[in-house]
């Protein structure tokens, strides 16, 4: 209960960040229980206003629907690498949350409890992350989704999985396993500005181009994605693209096809390091 003793010294001030988490190499034996969080809540209600609560690398004994009831103004919650595998449905007091760091299972969160969520980070999973079907359908305000390093593999990505993400602007799917795109990959996310697929093996079976509806996309990172010889479809429709990274891709005969870039008239920055190119057409 040391956390409570420390918190009692925070009476009166407005506390923007409250860090109760620890680090991977730290030895913290005390688990966080519902009772402890209720005690913290009694202090919050009286005197402390918290915008950001960090509980990373902590072990939880139990959570209930009213565990976070006192955190009505909480905007960011970090549960990275905790023992939690799911959150209780119908959580009370979390409706103002804008940023959430979690989780090993996408569909183990009732996203309808987080009506104002704009940023979601689910990264570094030790097991393959199942994208599920329609798990994000209630997150119409989400603008930033980070799913990097989660061992994601999908042979039908990502129409049904990202259903409902109509405001998405930044999507990070880098350092995952393999993604196959059929037809339009993100039909409901035409607002995307940044798409990062670094070090994720991607392919498509549609000649029309899986990103052809992303007319607002400004930055695309396809480095080390094994897309080099089959690059043409991935640039179709990207009239606003300004930054393109193709580092670490092998191109046919070591030559960059000069028919690629009429599709990207706004292109300003092109990176091609470690691509084993022998010639670039003038």
């Amino acid at each position: 209960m040391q956390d409570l003793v420390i918190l009692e010294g925070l009476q009166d001030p407005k506390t923007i960040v409250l860090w109760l988490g620890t680090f991977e190499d730290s030895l913290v034996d005390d688990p966080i229980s519902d009772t402890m969080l209720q005690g913290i809540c009694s202090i919050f209600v009286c005197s402390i206003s918290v915008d950001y609560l960090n509980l990373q690398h902590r072990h939880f004994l139990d959570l209930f629907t009213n565990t976070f009831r006192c955190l009505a103004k909480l905007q960011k919650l970090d549960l990275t690498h905790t023992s939690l595998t799911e959150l209780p449905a119908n959580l009370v007091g979390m409706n103002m949350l804008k940023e959430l760091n979690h989780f090993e299972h996408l569909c183990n969160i009732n996203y309808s409890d987080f009506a104002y969520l704009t940023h979601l980070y689910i990264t570094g999973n030790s097991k393959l992350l199942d994208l599920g079907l329609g798990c994000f359908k209630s997150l119409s305000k989400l603008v930033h989704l980070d799913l990097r390093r989660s061992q994601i593999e999908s042979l039908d990505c990502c129409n049904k999985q990202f259903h409902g993400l109509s405001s998405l602007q930044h999507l990070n799917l880098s350092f995952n396993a393999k993604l196959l795109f059929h037809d339009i990959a993100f039909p409901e996310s035409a607002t995307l500005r940044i798409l990062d697929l670094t070090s994720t093996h991607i392919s498509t079976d549609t000649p029309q181009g899986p990103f052809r509806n992303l007319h607002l996309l400004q930055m695309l990172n396809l480095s080390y994605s094994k897309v080099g010889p089959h690059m043409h479809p991935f640039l179709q429709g990207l009239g606003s693209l300004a930054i393109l990274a193709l580092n670490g891709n092998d191109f046919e005969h070591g030559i960059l096809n000069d028919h690629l870039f009429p599709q990207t008239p706004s292109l300003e920055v092109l990176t091609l390091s470690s691509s084993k190119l022998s010639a670039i057409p003038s």
Side-chain angles (χ1 to χ4, degrees):
M1 302 294 286
Q2 281 184 323
D3 292 323
L4 290 181
V5 175
I6 294 171
L7 286 170
E8 288 175 355
L10 296 178
Q11 302 275 345
D12 296 329
K14 174 177 172 60
T15 303
I16 303 298
V17 178
L18 179 59
W19 189 296
L20 300 180
T22 182
F23 298 94
E24 189 172 3
D25 58 352
S26 299
L27 297 177
V28 177
D29 297 326
D30 294 337
I32 292 180
S33 65
D34 184 73
T35 302
M36 178 186 292
L37 288 173
Q38 296 299 336
I40 292 173
C41 275
S42 66
I43 299 175
F44 282 149
V45 170
C46 295
S47 59
I48 300 177
S49 176
V50 173
D51 292 338
Y52 172 25
L53 175 62
N54 187 300
L55 296 167
Q56 69 177 28
H57 290 286
R58 296 298 296 265
H59 178 73
F60 288 80
L61 289 182
D62 44 38
L63 284 181
F64 301 102
T65 57
N66 64 344
T67 294
F68 299 105
R69 74 186 190 283
C70 58
L71 303 179
K73 296 182 180 179
L74 190 67
Q75 296 186 29
K76 183 175 181 179
L77 175 62
D78 194 334
L79 296 168
T80 305
H81 297 299
T82 64
S83 61
L84 295 174
T85 58
E86 61 182 352
L87 286 177
N90 303 313
L91 283 171
V92 177
M94 303 289 284
N95 59 318
M96 296 301 293
L97 196 70
K98 293 183 178 180
E99 295 192 28
L100 177 63
N101 290 52
H102 205 26
F103 241 78
E104 291 192 359
H105 306 285
L106 285 180
C107 293
N108 283 9
I109 308 173
N110 184 8
Y111 292 108
S112 61
D113 291 335
F114 311 111
Y116 292 94
L117 198 68
T118 60
H119 292 66
L120 178 62
Y121 306 85
I122 303 176
T123 66
N125 284 290
S126 57
K127 301 177 182 179
L128 186 148
L129 181 67
D130 185 359
L131 292 176
L133 296 175
C135 300
F136 300 123
K137 62 184 178 182
S138 60
L139 295 180
S140 61
K141 291 183 172 62
L142 196 73
V143 297
H144 186 117
L145 178 58
D146 190 343
L147 299 174
R148 59 194 156 91
R149 298 186 184 277
S150 292
Q151 304 188 53
I152 296 171
E153 183 171 351
S154 175
L155 297 180
D156 187 10
C157 190
C158 295
N159 182 354
K160 297 177 182 178
Q161 294 90 334
F162 291 171
H163 169 58
L165 298 181
S166 57
S167 300
L168 196 63
Q169 296 184 23
H170 188 156
L171 176 59
N172 192 336
L173 286 166
S174 64
F175 295 94
N176 283 295
K178 183 177 182 179
L179 301 176
L180 173 61
F181 301 116
H182 299 293
D183 199 27
I184 296 179
F186 310 104
E188 297 185 44
S189 302
T191 52
L192 270 174
R193 264 78 168 174
I194 299 174
L195 178 58
D196 192 344
L197 292 159
T198 306
S199 297
T200 297
H201 182 192
I202 65 172
S203 57
T204 183
D205 57 8
T206 173
Q208 287 81 23
F211 306 148
R212 64 184 183 273
N213 67 317
L214 303 182
H215 305 303
L216 301 178
L217 195 71
Q218 297 175 3
M219 180 178 178
L220 177 61
N221 196 333
L222 299 178
S223 298
Y224 300 96
S225 62
K226 302 181 180 180
V227 76
H230 314 288
M231 187 69 230
H232 189 271
F234 290 98
L235 297 183
Q236 291 187 28
L238 303 185
S240 298
L241 192 68
I243 302 173
L244 175 62
L246 297 173
N247 306 316
N249 283 290
D250 292 334
F251 295 90
E252 191 172 7
H253 306 303
I255 300 174
L256 192 63
N257 191 322
D258 59 355
H259 297 299
L260 291 175
F261 302 110
Q263 303 179 96
T264 55
S266 301
L267 193 64
E268 298 177 3
V269 178
L270 173 65
T271 60
L272 294 162
S273 63
S274 304
S275 293
K276 300 178 181 179
L277 287 173
S278 59
I280 299 177
S282 57

